[in-house]
Amino acid sequence: GEYPKLFAIDSTEGFSKHALHICAWRGDLESVKAMVDASRQYDDFDIVNGISKSFRNYGKTPIFYALTQCREDVVRYLVDAADASLLFVNNKGQTPCSIAVSHLSEAACEYLCDVERNQLEAGGTFQDYRMPFSDDKYYGDLDPRFPIENFIHEEDDNDDLIYSLRQYQAAVKQADEATVIKSIPTKFAPRSLRPTVRWWNRNDKSLEDADNKLEGCQANFTRSEEKLRTIEETRETKKSKEEEKSIEVINVASLDLLRLDSVLARENPDKAAIILVDCIETLKQLEAAIDDSIEYIITHESSTGDTYCDDVVINVTWGLDAEWKPGIERGKDNPAATLQLSTRQQSYLIDLQSICQSTCRHTSK
């Protein structure tokens, strides 16, 4: 069928994620349901567990995108009704359960951990995209069960990752063997390393300041510290420049009112600037003006016959606009009421309804 082709991912062509990834990220539950329902009629087409393949976001299924935006309703639907797998490690070293710690409620986190354990017990295995597709960047919300060596500063014994990993290792040693499935612990703490918080200017490696009552805040460690400092410096520079700018307050009431007479080139002041076209006489005036424009073009035709100088183009250019009664019913349009045509010298306001009705009355007689 053609439907599965709409979700094909080819990073070489710029398609690194499909529509379900985007709708999950936006929290558009209705569209998520519609796409999943439509996919059920195709065998061997798993739209729910398809991964994104961009350099920065390799190995993310739609549930990752829902989690990063705290879309708990989408997450629960994907797990409960769409058989979403939680057994993925993206190229950042994150799993759905590790991201959930800082993005969902405690109850939702416990629920996802139970689902993950059930999927492991049912024979599932983790698909790990961390090692083969890592972008070697500095991230948070890491799952301690999978390799994160490039995040650790071993020369600094106070590195928060080393401290958290020691906590994790101690918890695993004390855990019941029944909670370890295929060498994967399912009961341990902490569930997530470097849980994200709203904190950009991060010059040290400790989480002391990050833990100061910032629960529920979302953070970003997706860039190197050098990049973060560059961003902060750019913001400060921009802020300083904006403060230096003097803002001139304009009194609108003091401005001159722009009228149609102000923009028309009145070569003959005796001629009316605006002509209401609603009868035979004024229609003839409009016809004469059109004839004059055509004659002007013919008279000033270039020697080559295919181009005109700017002055000729300006003098024969007509402006056009139309007005009609706004419609409040979808799919129902009202007829145009007036047509406005204008040259550089005169503007013609054509009352279409009056002219059409007059023509109908004349024809019926």
Side-chain angles (χ1 to χ4, degrees), residues 7-25:
F7 297 87
I9 293 179
D10 186 350
S11 56
T12 61
E13 296 293 332
F15 302 108
S16 60
K17 61 178 73 72
H18 56 55
L20 189 60
H21 292 112
I22 297 171
C23 288
W25 182 82

Side-chain angles (χ1 to χ4, degrees), residues 242-287:
E242 289 177 350
E243 292 175 350
E244 292 174 359
K245 291 181 180 178
S246 59
I247 302 175
E248 181 181 358
V249 179
I250 299 175
N251 183 3
V252 177
S254 66
L255 301 177
D256 294 332
L257 185 64
L258 183 63
R259 301 178 182 277
L260 195 58
D261 289 339
S262 305
V263 297
L264 293 175
R266 303 295 308 285
E267 296 179 356
N268 187 349
D270 295 332
K271 286 186 177 182
I274 305 172
I275 298 176
L276 176 61
V277 181
D278 61 352
C279 60
I280 295 297
E281 288 74 16
T282 48
L283 271 173
K284 289 181 178 179
Q285 293 182 42
L286 174 60
E287 181 182 20

Side-chain angles (χ1 to χ4, degrees), residues 70-109:
C70 310
R71 314 292 190 185
E72 185 170 333
D73 55 343
V74 177
V75 170
R76 287 187 176 272
Y77 168 77
L78 291 172
V79 172
D80 294 339
D83 298 324
S85 173
L86 302 183
L87 307 182
F88 285 92
V89 185
N90 66 20
N91 70 332
K92 295 177 171 63
Q94 303 161 337
T95 63
C97 286
S98 71
I99 295 177
V101 172
S102 59
H103 291 76
L104 298 185
S105 64
E106 184 176 350
C109 290

